[in-house]
Short mmCIF file of all heavy atoms in Angstrom, two decimals:
data_model
loop_
_atom_site.label_atom_id
_atom_site.label_comp_id
_atom_site.label_asym_id
_atom_site.label_seq_id
_atom_site.Cartn_x
_atom_site.Cartn_y
_atom_site.Cartn_z
N ASP R 1 -16.01 -7.87 -4.95
CA ASP R 1 -14.90 -8.05 -5.92
C ASP R 1 -13.61 -7.84 -5.20
O ASP R 1 -13.50 -6.95 -4.26
CB ASP R 1 -15.11 -7.00 -7.06
CG ASP R 1 -16.31 -7.30 -7.89
OD1 ASP R 1 -16.51 -8.46 -8.23
OD2 ASP R 1 -16.92 -6.31 -8.22
N VAL R 2 -12.60 -8.60 -5.55
CA VAL R 2 -11.23 -8.48 -4.95
C VAL R 2 -10.26 -8.12 -6.07
O VAL R 2 -10.21 -8.82 -7.02
CB VAL R 2 -10.93 -9.78 -4.31
CG1 VAL R 2 -9.48 -9.73 -3.68
CG2 VAL R 2 -11.92 -10.07 -3.11
N SER R 3 -9.38 -7.20 -5.74
CA SER R 3 -8.29 -6.82 -6.67
C SER R 3 -6.94 -6.79 -5.95
O SER R 3 -6.97 -6.74 -4.70
CB SER R 3 -8.60 -5.46 -7.39
OG SER R 3 -8.68 -4.41 -6.42
N PHE R 4 -5.86 -6.73 -6.62
CA PHE R 4 -4.52 -6.75 -6.09
C PHE R 4 -3.72 -5.55 -6.56
O PHE R 4 -3.85 -5.05 -7.64
CB PHE R 4 -3.79 -7.97 -6.49
CG PHE R 4 -4.38 -9.26 -5.97
CD1 PHE R 4 -5.42 -9.94 -6.61
CD2 PHE R 4 -3.84 -9.78 -4.76
CE1 PHE R 4 -5.98 -11.10 -6.13
CE2 PHE R 4 -4.40 -10.99 -4.25
CZ PHE R 4 -5.45 -11.65 -4.95
N ILE R 5 -2.88 -5.04 -5.62
CA ILE R 5 -1.85 -4.12 -5.89
C ILE R 5 -0.53 -4.69 -5.36
O ILE R 5 -0.41 -4.93 -4.14
CB ILE R 5 -2.12 -2.64 -5.32
CG1 ILE R 5 -3.45 -2.15 -5.71
CG2 ILE R 5 -0.96 -1.74 -5.76
CD1 ILE R 5 -3.76 -0.78 -5.10
N ASN R 6 0.41 -4.97 -6.13
CA ASN R 6 1.61 -5.65 -5.70
C ASN R 6 2.80 -4.70 -5.54
O ASN R 6 2.98 -3.77 -6.35
CB ASN R 6 2.00 -6.78 -6.69
CG ASN R 6 0.93 -7.86 -6.73
OD1 ASN R 6 0.24 -7.93 -7.74
ND2 ASN R 6 0.83 -8.67 -5.70
N TYR R 7 3.61 -4.93 -4.57
CA TYR R 7 4.82 -4.18 -4.36
C TYR R 7 5.99 -5.12 -4.21
O TYR R 7 5.82 -6.32 -3.97
CB TYR R 7 4.71 -3.29 -3.09
CG TYR R 7 4.58 -4.08 -1.77
CD1 TYR R 7 5.73 -4.48 -1.10
CD2 TYR R 7 3.36 -4.41 -1.25
CE1 TYR R 7 5.66 -5.19 0.12
CE2 TYR R 7 3.25 -5.09 -0.05
CZ TYR R 7 4.40 -5.50 0.62
OH TYR R 7 4.26 -6.23 1.79
N ARG R 8 7.20 -4.61 -4.35
CA ARG R 8 8.37 -5.47 -4.21
C ARG R 8 8.79 -5.46 -2.72
O ARG R 8 9.09 -4.48 -2.13
CB ARG R 8 9.53 -4.91 -5.10
CG ARG R 8 9.25 -4.97 -6.60
CD ARG R 8 10.44 -4.46 -7.39
NE ARG R 8 10.75 -3.02 -7.09
CZ ARG R 8 10.07 -2.05 -7.67
NH1 ARG R 8 9.15 -2.29 -8.58
NH2 ARG R 8 10.47 -0.76 -7.39
N HIS R 9 8.84 -6.71 -2.22
CA HIS R 9 9.15 -6.85 -0.77
C HIS R 9 10.48 -6.28 -0.44
O HIS R 9 11.49 -6.62 -1.16
CB HIS R 9 8.98 -8.35 -0.36
CG HIS R 9 9.12 -8.62 1.08
ND1 HIS R 9 10.28 -8.70 1.72
CD2 HIS R 9 8.13 -8.75 1.98
CE1 HIS R 9 10.02 -8.85 3.03
NE2 HIS R 9 8.76 -8.90 3.23
N GLY R 10 10.60 -5.56 0.59
CA GLY R 10 11.91 -4.98 0.99
C GLY R 10 12.25 -3.70 0.28
O GLY R 10 13.30 -3.06 0.57
N ASP R 11 11.43 -3.27 -0.70
CA ASP R 11 11.67 -2.08 -1.49
C ASP R 11 10.82 -0.97 -0.98
O ASP R 11 9.60 -0.92 -1.17
CB ASP R 11 11.37 -2.34 -2.93
CG ASP R 11 11.77 -1.22 -3.89
OD1 ASP R 11 11.65 -0.06 -3.46
OD2 ASP R 11 12.10 -1.51 -5.02
N LYS R 12 11.42 -0.02 -0.25
CA LYS R 12 10.65 1.02 0.47
C LYS R 12 9.92 1.87 -0.54
O LYS R 12 8.72 2.21 -0.27
CB LYS R 12 11.62 1.81 1.33
CG LYS R 12 10.90 2.83 2.21
CD LYS R 12 11.84 3.52 3.16
CE LYS R 12 11.15 4.46 4.15
NZ LYS R 12 12.15 5.14 5.08
N SER R 13 10.54 2.25 -1.65
CA SER R 13 9.88 3.14 -2.59
C SER R 13 8.66 2.45 -3.26
O SER R 13 7.64 3.05 -3.46
CB SER R 13 10.89 3.63 -3.61
OG SER R 13 11.36 2.56 -4.41
N SER R 14 8.85 1.14 -3.54
CA SER R 14 7.72 0.40 -4.12
C SER R 14 6.55 0.32 -3.14
O SER R 14 5.40 0.50 -3.52
CB SER R 14 8.23 -0.99 -4.46
OG SER R 14 7.13 -1.79 -4.91
N TYR R 15 6.85 0.10 -1.86
CA TYR R 15 5.79 0.04 -0.87
C TYR R 15 5.09 1.36 -0.64
O TYR R 15 3.90 1.47 -0.54
CB TYR R 15 6.34 -0.48 0.47
CG TYR R 15 5.30 -0.77 1.51
CD1 TYR R 15 4.45 -1.84 1.37
CD2 TYR R 15 5.21 -0.08 2.70
CE1 TYR R 15 3.47 -2.12 2.34
CE2 TYR R 15 4.26 -0.28 3.67
CZ TYR R 15 3.33 -1.37 3.53
OH TYR R 15 2.44 -1.65 4.42
N GLU R 16 5.94 2.42 -0.56
CA GLU R 16 5.37 3.73 -0.42
C GLU R 16 4.50 4.11 -1.59
O GLU R 16 3.41 4.75 -1.36
CB GLU R 16 6.49 4.81 -0.36
CG GLU R 16 7.27 4.86 0.93
CD GLU R 16 8.39 5.86 0.95
OE1 GLU R 16 8.95 6.12 -0.23
OE2 GLU R 16 8.75 6.38 1.93
N SER R 17 4.84 3.74 -2.79
CA SER R 17 4.05 4.05 -3.95
C SER R 17 2.64 3.46 -3.88
O SER R 17 1.67 4.07 -4.21
CB SER R 17 4.79 3.58 -5.22
OG SER R 17 3.97 3.79 -6.41
N VAL R 18 2.61 2.16 -3.40
CA VAL R 18 1.30 1.51 -3.25
C VAL R 18 0.45 2.14 -2.22
O VAL R 18 -0.73 2.39 -2.44
CB VAL R 18 1.63 0.01 -2.90
CG1 VAL R 18 0.34 -0.65 -2.37
CG2 VAL R 18 2.16 -0.76 -4.09
N CYS R 19 1.04 2.54 -1.11
CA CYS R 19 0.30 3.22 -0.04
C CYS R 19 -0.20 4.57 -0.51
O CYS R 19 -1.38 4.89 -0.22
CB CYS R 19 1.21 3.43 1.14
SG CYS R 19 1.66 1.93 2.06
N GLN R 20 0.53 5.28 -1.27
CA GLN R 20 0.12 6.56 -1.76
C GLN R 20 -1.03 6.45 -2.79
O GLN R 20 -1.91 7.26 -2.84
CB GLN R 20 1.27 7.29 -2.48
CG GLN R 20 2.34 7.86 -1.52
CD GLN R 20 1.78 8.88 -0.61
OE1 GLN R 20 0.86 9.66 -0.96
NE2 GLN R 20 2.20 8.91 0.64
N LYS R 21 -1.02 5.31 -3.55
CA LYS R 21 -2.19 5.08 -4.44
C LYS R 21 -3.52 5.06 -3.73
O LYS R 21 -4.47 5.66 -4.19
CB LYS R 21 -1.95 3.83 -5.24
CG LYS R 21 -1.04 3.88 -6.42
CD LYS R 21 -1.00 2.55 -7.14
CE LYS R 21 -0.18 2.64 -8.40
NZ LYS R 21 -0.12 1.38 -9.20
N LEU R 22 -3.49 4.38 -2.54
CA LEU R 22 -4.76 4.33 -1.81
C LEU R 22 -5.05 5.63 -1.17
O LEU R 22 -6.21 6.07 -1.19
CB LEU R 22 -4.59 3.26 -0.71
CG LEU R 22 -5.06 1.88 -1.12
CD1 LEU R 22 -4.18 1.28 -2.18
CD2 LEU R 22 -5.12 0.91 0.07
N MET R 23 -4.05 6.37 -0.62
CA MET R 23 -4.31 7.64 0.05
C MET R 23 -4.63 8.70 -0.95
O MET R 23 -5.29 9.73 -0.55
CB MET R 23 -3.12 7.98 0.88
CG MET R 23 -2.98 7.06 2.11
SD MET R 23 -1.66 7.58 3.26
CE MET R 23 -0.18 7.21 2.39
N ASN R 24 -4.19 8.62 -2.16
CA ASN R 24 -4.48 9.68 -3.18
C ASN R 24 -5.76 9.44 -3.93
O ASN R 24 -6.08 10.21 -4.80
CB ASN R 24 -3.26 9.75 -4.14
CG ASN R 24 -2.02 10.26 -3.57
OD1 ASN R 24 -2.05 10.86 -2.50
ND2 ASN R 24 -0.91 10.00 -4.20
N GLY R 25 -6.44 8.43 -3.61
CA GLY R 25 -7.74 8.17 -4.26
C GLY R 25 -7.59 7.60 -5.70
O GLY R 25 -8.58 7.63 -6.42
N GLU R 26 -6.50 6.96 -5.96
CA GLU R 26 -6.25 6.39 -7.31
C GLU R 26 -6.92 4.97 -7.40
O GLU R 26 -7.12 4.49 -8.53
CB GLU R 26 -4.76 6.25 -7.58
CG GLU R 26 -4.00 7.55 -7.71
CD GLU R 26 -2.52 7.34 -7.95
OE1 GLU R 26 -2.15 6.45 -8.67
OE2 GLU R 26 -1.73 8.09 -7.35
N GLU R 27 -7.36 4.42 -6.29
CA GLU R 27 -7.98 3.16 -6.29
C GLU R 27 -9.37 3.27 -5.59
O GLU R 27 -9.44 4.11 -4.65
CB GLU R 27 -7.11 2.09 -5.59
CG GLU R 27 -5.81 1.82 -6.18
CD GLU R 27 -5.95 1.00 -7.47
OE1 GLU R 27 -6.91 0.25 -7.56
OE2 GLU R 27 -5.13 1.12 -8.34
N LYS R 28 -10.35 2.57 -6.04
CA LYS R 28 -11.64 2.53 -5.40
C LYS R 28 -11.72 1.34 -4.56
O LYS R 28 -11.44 0.17 -5.05
CB LYS R 28 -12.78 2.61 -6.45
CG LYS R 28 -12.80 3.83 -7.38
CD LYS R 28 -12.95 5.09 -6.55
CE LYS R 28 -13.01 6.27 -7.49
NZ LYS R 28 -13.16 7.58 -6.77
N TYR R 29 -12.12 1.47 -3.30
CA TYR R 29 -12.19 0.31 -2.39
C TYR R 29 -13.12 0.59 -1.22
O TYR R 29 -13.26 1.75 -0.82
CB TYR R 29 -10.76 0.00 -1.96
CG TYR R 29 -10.03 1.15 -1.23
CD1 TYR R 29 -10.21 1.46 0.10
CD2 TYR R 29 -9.24 2.01 -2.04
CE1 TYR R 29 -9.57 2.51 0.69
CE2 TYR R 29 -8.55 2.99 -1.40
CZ TYR R 29 -8.72 3.32 -0.08
OH TYR R 29 -8.07 4.37 0.49
N ASP R 30 -13.68 -0.44 -0.66
CA ASP R 30 -14.43 -0.39 0.52
C ASP R 30 -13.74 -1.00 1.72
O ASP R 30 -14.15 -0.70 2.84
CB ASP R 30 -15.77 -1.11 0.35
CG ASP R 30 -16.58 -0.47 -0.87
OD1 ASP R 30 -17.11 0.61 -0.63
OD2 ASP R 30 -16.65 -1.14 -1.90
N ALA R 31 -12.68 -1.76 1.46
CA ALA R 31 -11.90 -2.45 2.51
C ALA R 31 -10.61 -2.79 1.91
O ALA R 31 -10.43 -2.95 0.75
CB ALA R 31 -12.69 -3.65 3.05
N VAL R 32 -9.59 -3.04 2.81
CA VAL R 32 -8.24 -3.26 2.37
C VAL R 32 -7.61 -4.46 3.22
O VAL R 32 -7.74 -4.48 4.43
CB VAL R 32 -7.32 -2.04 2.53
CG1 VAL R 32 -5.94 -2.31 1.91
CG2 VAL R 32 -7.99 -0.84 1.93
N LEU R 33 -7.04 -5.38 2.46
CA LEU R 33 -6.21 -6.45 3.05
C LEU R 33 -4.83 -6.10 2.84
O LEU R 33 -4.36 -5.85 1.72
CB LEU R 33 -6.56 -7.78 2.41
CG LEU R 33 -5.80 -9.00 2.92
CD1 LEU R 33 -6.21 -9.33 4.35
CD2 LEU R 33 -5.99 -10.27 2.01
N ILE R 34 -4.01 -5.98 3.95
CA ILE R 34 -2.64 -5.52 3.86
C ILE R 34 -1.64 -6.54 4.40
O ILE R 34 -1.81 -7.04 5.47
CB ILE R 34 -2.44 -4.21 4.68
CG1 ILE R 34 -3.49 -3.20 4.22
CG2 ILE R 34 -1.10 -3.62 4.55
CD1 ILE R 34 -3.49 -1.90 5.11
N ALA R 35 -0.58 -6.80 3.59
CA ALA R 35 0.52 -7.53 4.05
C ALA R 35 1.63 -6.44 4.37
O ALA R 35 2.36 -6.09 3.42
CB ALA R 35 1.05 -8.51 3.00
N PRO R 36 1.80 -6.00 5.58
CA PRO R 36 2.60 -4.82 5.84
C PRO R 36 4.03 -5.15 5.64
O PRO R 36 4.54 -6.29 5.69
CB PRO R 36 2.33 -4.52 7.36
CG PRO R 36 1.12 -5.25 7.67
CD PRO R 36 1.03 -6.50 6.74
N ASN R 37 4.88 -4.06 5.25
CA ASN R 37 6.28 -4.31 4.97
C ASN R 37 7.19 -3.29 5.80
O ASN R 37 8.15 -3.67 6.33
CB ASN R 37 6.44 -4.16 3.49
CG ASN R 37 7.78 -4.92 3.12
OD1 ASN R 37 8.31 -4.59 1.98
ND2 ASN R 37 8.30 -5.75 3.90
N PHE R 38 6.75 -1.98 5.80
CA PHE R 38 7.53 -1.03 6.51
C PHE R 38 6.61 -0.35 7.56
O PHE R 38 5.52 0.02 7.29
CB PHE R 38 8.08 0.05 5.57
CG PHE R 38 9.22 -0.48 4.63
CD1 PHE R 38 8.87 -1.04 3.45
CD2 PHE R 38 10.47 -0.38 5.04
CE1 PHE R 38 9.83 -1.57 2.64
CE2 PHE R 38 11.47 -0.85 4.20
CZ PHE R 38 11.16 -1.45 3.01
N THR R 39 7.16 -0.19 8.78
CA THR R 39 6.27 0.19 9.92
C THR R 39 5.73 1.64 9.74
O THR R 39 4.49 1.85 9.78
CB THR R 39 7.06 0.19 11.23
OG1 THR R 39 7.52 -1.20 11.39
CG2 THR R 39 6.25 0.67 12.39
N GLU R 40 6.52 2.66 9.47
CA GLU R 40 6.09 4.05 9.41
C GLU R 40 5.13 4.23 8.27
O GLU R 40 4.09 4.92 8.42
CB GLU R 40 7.26 4.97 9.24
CG GLU R 40 8.14 5.09 10.52
CD GLU R 40 9.20 6.09 10.43
OE1 GLU R 40 9.32 6.87 9.35
OE2 GLU R 40 10.05 6.19 11.30
N GLU R 41 5.42 3.69 7.13
CA GLU R 41 4.53 3.80 5.95
C GLU R 41 3.21 3.16 6.20
O GLU R 41 2.08 3.65 5.83
CB GLU R 41 5.20 3.22 4.70
CG GLU R 41 6.31 4.06 4.18
CD GLU R 41 7.56 4.03 5.02
OE1 GLU R 41 7.74 3.11 5.91
OE2 GLU R 41 8.44 4.90 4.91
N THR R 42 3.22 1.99 6.95
CA THR R 42 2.00 1.26 7.26
C THR R 42 1.18 2.08 8.22
O THR R 42 -0.11 2.15 8.10
CB THR R 42 2.25 -0.17 7.79
OG1 THR R 42 3.05 -0.87 6.86
CG2 THR R 42 0.99 -0.87 8.02
N GLN R 43 1.80 2.61 9.21
CA GLN R 43 1.08 3.48 10.19
C GLN R 43 0.38 4.63 9.58
O GLN R 43 -0.69 5.02 9.92
CB GLN R 43 2.10 3.87 11.24
CG GLN R 43 2.51 2.78 12.18
CD GLN R 43 3.68 3.21 13.20
OE1 GLN R 43 4.33 4.22 12.89
NE2 GLN R 43 3.86 2.48 14.22
N GLU R 44 1.15 5.30 8.57
CA GLU R 44 0.51 6.42 7.88
C GLU R 44 -0.74 5.98 7.10
O GLU R 44 -1.80 6.62 7.15
CB GLU R 44 1.52 7.08 6.96
CG GLU R 44 1.00 8.26 6.20
CD GLU R 44 1.97 8.89 5.24
OE1 GLU R 44 3.11 8.36 5.07
OE2 GLU R 44 1.66 9.94 4.62
N LEU R 45 -0.64 4.90 6.34
CA LEU R 45 -1.75 4.36 5.64
C LEU R 45 -2.89 3.98 6.59
O LEU R 45 -4.07 4.31 6.35
CB LEU R 45 -1.32 3.21 4.81
CG LEU R 45 -2.49 2.36 4.09
CD1 LEU R 45 -3.15 3.30 3.06
CD2 LEU R 45 -1.90 1.20 3.35
N ALA R 46 -2.57 3.27 7.66
CA ALA R 46 -3.60 2.91 8.60
C ALA R 46 -4.29 4.14 9.21
O ALA R 46 -5.56 4.08 9.39
CB ALA R 46 -3.00 2.06 9.75
#
């Protein structure tokens, strides 16, 4: 099954929020497809 979480491109707070959802366990997943937007936030999620 494939699901989406969308963020506003260029909006740091929006991107951070999406990353936090994954790290806080708010989403269930076995794998992640990422279109990265901000380097530090992506590195933290990775």
